[in-house]
Amino acid sequence: MRARRPRALGDAVGRIRASSAPKTPLAAIELAWPGAVGAGAAAEAIPVAERDGVLTVACRSATWAQELDLLGPQILERLNARLDRPVHALRFTADAARHEQH
C-alpha cells in the first residue's frame, strides 16, 4: 500500500473559502464594509441594498449620511479594493432604524 502525501494547507483553505464565499453582491459588501469604513462608521451606517452597482447605505442620522457622502470617493475606493464585483456609486440615507432587526 502506498503512503499518501500530505496535502497543502493552502489548497484546503482555498476550497473552503470558495465554497463559503458570499452568494450575493450585497453579502460580499456587508463583509467588506467594516474594513472599508472603519469600526466607528460601520456601527453608524449599514449597507442595505445594491442594485446595478449602486450601493444604498442606511445611516443612523442625517449627520452621518452627510459625513459619509463627503467621504464617498475614498470609501468607494477602499470598498472596491475588497470586492470582486465593483460598486460604481454610493447612496446614503438617514433611515437605519427602519432597517434594524429587533
Side-chain angles (χ1 to χ4, degrees):
M1 182 177 209
R2 242 171 84 182
R4 289 185 175 180
R5 286 186 181 175
R7 294 183 185 179
L9 181 59
D11 293 341
V13 171
R15 285 192 301 277
I16 291 169
R17 187 171 180 224
S19 68
S20 65
K23 304 299 183 208
T24 66
L26 183 58
I29 291 165
E30 288 171 337
L31 288 174
W33 184 250
V37 299
E44 300 295 331
I46 54 171
V48 294
E50 184 277 337
R51 184 173 181 168
D52 298 328
V54 177
L55 175 62
T56 300
V57 179
C59 302
R60 292 192 190 275
S61 70
T63 303
W64 271 104
Q66 182 178 15
E67 181 70 22
L68 293 176
D69 188 52
L70 291 171
L71 295 171
Q74 293 96 331
I75 293 170
L76 199 56
E77 183 178 332
R78 290 191 307 259
L79 185 60
N80 282 333
R82 292 168 166 78
L83 299 173
D84 292 332
R85 182 177 164 192
V87 172
H88 303 293
L90 299 170
R91 180 178 168 260
F92 297 98
T93 64
D95 63 349
R98 186 182 90 162
H99 298 280
E100 290 178 348
Q101 296 179 2
H102 300 278

